[in-house]
DNA sequence: GATGAATGAGCGTTCATTCAT
DNA sequence: CATGAATGAACGCTCATTCAT
């Protein structure tokens, strides 16, 4: 993301063709993204046991390249989680612009769960306690803080029971997403996933 | 499957053994139980990645013995799940003797979730889709049938929303149990686990 | 050594054929020896960089077997050094039975250097400071203590200069052995090795 | 070999360069020196296992540049040895200007050993038999020839035993240096290094 | 020419599975 | 029948070497 912005800036400044097929540029950054994408996908399909070689294959890079970017498998996992956490943060930020506290909360939950529904890696990470690692403290802190605001607004508006915390929200959405995962029915209206989220949201009302 | 074969063997063997070494059979049976117990415990503590050697050590048998009884790690996992499924079946049977349909449902859910809360191996198995393997079809069928009865009674009594199936119950309890697992606070009154089950049960009301 | 003594004892006691080709017995112990032998040889030829796989190949065992016996390469190296140290200890013990202090010293030095001449692994270990690892403290201690006695006797007899310590003896014999190694001329009379030892022993005189 | 090509280039280039980019040549030359220096240092500290990347970092050049100059790690090692050999050659040349043959020999030995004491890479190279590679034949030849002269003068003066060759001198000084290395006590008066050299020089007397 | 990202073979280590005892 | 030593494929990781920029 950083880098693609960079290259656009660069080529725009020079005035040459920004869309041509010059095969590589600062492809290193592109690789980082490809790797995270591939890892995300592999973790979703195979769990955190997905081998580094498999991830490298999916990202279409050598294992050495993967290592250069993420010196250990743990680092790669952290990077994936961090990416998901930032997604979560953005979702919470958007929710805070919605005036109706109850609606904001519901949309926040649905969107956040959606992200997890699409990436079971994160859920396993929850389970393994990986989110409590110091490496992830910062990005988690931000996500939790914003979630807390969304939650508190909804609680003060009487739309959500008082005995849940922002931490719970992560656990619960992750769980609902994981519960639905096996059914594989997408997240359309009548799908297990939609039903489970309905149950969860109803259960969260006072 | 293995298990049922075993019981047949047992009943057939009553008083008919032509060879002198029947005590070994008792030993073998005891070994099978010890292995399942040890595997259950190891999976709970270490996840499905727990090594076969570790399980053999906990069961105090050689790895060869373990292998003789369960020709592959997968077979062992299936056997553990089967044991849990039977527990589930018993819980459902007991619930069917409770006259109050709503109360029966709630107790069924709490007890079933409790079993899963205490055995994360089963939940991982859920996630891996292991329950859909043909080897487990029979034992799952029985558990699901009985759960269905408990559920339908509660739905007819107007205590549970109509758009959930017996399959969902397994997913949801597993998810709630897993969500609570990390918090580690036991299953006492104010624990995350108790809270999550409350949310789930409330969410399941019509 | 232990084990081969054991099996002899055993088969002798039973009275059956001790030389027959019953293919395996308590072969595990035999493997340990084969591994040490192979490692010793590989380290001599290729240095401590000799790969574990190469050692396993030479010992004609799988890498897993090697690992079972020596859980890490370091452990294997330690085991090799320990074996050499014990050799050293025996040499010193024998030297202490020789009444002529000067002759005892010279024979001790020649025999000890010989052992190192045949195993450059030990010398590299010296260089890497491996002998100072706590795992090897005990076996080194014994060897050094006995060497010290041999040395002191010779010094009191006026056969060796006063400004050398037992530690020095290890360094110097190792160095002489290593110096001669490349020439590959064996340790016969006029070989570089014999010459270097002569120079060393002459240099050690007061 | 590389080196000699270099000096030819240098002298030929004086005042004759037809292209404008001569400064690059100076850079390239500077790079070569920096690389050798860095490699020398890295080998001394980390042994021959020092990674090429580490050497490139110390030399402050890209690994590609390093590779361009020394197409393989082996080439780099050869170049370092060659540099040391030239040092040796200079030491021998200086020794030949000293009228007292015995004193010349002793100083030659002490200075040569000093160079090796400060560069364990060279000693490892000795051990690996690298000096016998054909690539190094020329530079070794020169060093050995000059050493031989120093040695012969001393032998004819009756200061050194007759049964040592110039080859032996390299082996022996390398060994003494290596033997002292672990003790780390510098090369001051009473250090192990000084002691070992004393022993060696005494041992070399007839 | 210089750079450093990419490569992939090879390392030490692990573990499900097999089999001699 | 129980045992645990042996196996070897696969893992995460490293590094000499190559090559697009």
């Amino acid at each position: 993301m950083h880098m693609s912005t960079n290259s656009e800036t660069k080529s725009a400044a020079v005035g040459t063709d920004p869309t041509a097929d010059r095969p590589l540029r600062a492809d290193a950054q592109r690789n980082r993204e490809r790797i995270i994408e591939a890892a995300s996908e592999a973790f979703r399909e195979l769990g955190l046991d997905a081998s580094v070689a498999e991830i490298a294959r999916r990202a279409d890079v050598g294992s050495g390249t993967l290592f250069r970017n993420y010196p250990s498998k743990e680092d790669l996992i952290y990077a994936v989680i961090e990416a998901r956490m930032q997604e979560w943060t953005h979702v919470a930020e958007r929710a805070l612009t919605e005036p109706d506290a109850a609606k904001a909360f519901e949309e926040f939950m649905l969107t956040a769960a959606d992200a997890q529904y699409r990436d079971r890696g994160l859920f396993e990470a929850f389970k393994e306690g990986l989110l409590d690692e110091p490496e992830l403290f910062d990005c988690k802190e931000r996500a939790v803080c914003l979630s807390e605001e969304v939650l508190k607004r909804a609680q003060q508006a009487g739309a959500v029971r008082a005995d849940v915390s922002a931490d719970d929200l992560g656990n619960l959405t992750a769980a609902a997403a994981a519960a639905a995962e096996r059914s594989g029915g997408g997240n359309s209206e009548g799908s297990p996933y939609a039903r489970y989220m309905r149950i969860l949201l109803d259960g969260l009302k006072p």
Side-chain angles (χ1 to χ4, degrees), chain A residues 35-37 39-41 43 48 70 73-89 115-116 119-133 135-143:
Chain A
I35 289 168
I36 291 295
E37 221 169 301
S40 218
E41 185 191 295
F43 289 154
L48 289 181
Y70 304 97
K73 188 177 183 179
E74 215 174 25
D75 290 325
L76 180 55
I77 293 173
Y78 288 158
V80 171
I81 296 177
E82 203 171 333
R84 288 294 159 270
M85 274 301 182
Q86 277 172 4
E87 219 171 290
W88 185 300
T89 300
Q116 288 175 316
D119 188 351
R120 90 167 163 153
L122 182 52
F123 180 73
E124 275 197 59
F126 261 89
K127 280 207 353 267
E128 307 285 343
L130 251 38
L131 282 177
D132 300 331
E133 297 296 322
E135 283 91 337
L136 291 173
F137 184 80
D138 281 357
C139 73
K140 191 193 167 183
E141 199 62 7
R142 243 174 312 138

Side-chain angles (χ1 to χ4, degrees), chain A residues 110-191:
Chain A
L110 286 170
T111 320
D114 233 54
Q116 288 175 316
Y117 181 46
R118 276 179 281 111
D119 188 351
R120 90 167 163 153
L122 182 52
F123 180 73
E124 275 197 59
F126 261 89
K127 280 207 353 267
E128 307 285 343
L130 251 38
L131 282 177
D132 300 331
E133 297 296 322
E135 283 91 337
L136 291 173
F137 184 80
D138 281 357
C139 73
K140 191 193 167 183
E141 199 62 7
R142 243 174 312 138
V144 166
C145 276
L146 289 170
S147 311
E148 226 150 34
E149 262 183 83
V150 177
L151 171 63
K152 267 181 189 152
R153 272 215 307 159
Q155 285 173 323
Q156 278 157 8
V160 172
R161 60 203 302 163
D163 63 347
V164 295
S165 68
D167 259 12
D168 290 338
L169 297 188
N171 289 336
L172 288 168
T173 51
E181 185 161 87
R182 290 185 47 243
S183 318
N187 55 355
S188 57
E189 193 51 36
S191 71

Side-chain angles (χ1 to χ4, degrees), chain A residues 3-34:
Chain A
M3 246 355 189
S4 60
T5 305
N6 267 353
S7 30
E8 280 180 52
T9 309
K10 229 182 217 166
S11 44
V14 175
T16 52
D17 182 10
T19 61
D21 58 6
R22 267 165 309 165
L24 290 174
R25 177 62 74 150
D27 235 42
Q29 207 57 29
R30 181 85 202 107
N31 268 347
R32 283 187 73 91
E33 288 162 28
R34 283 233 306 269

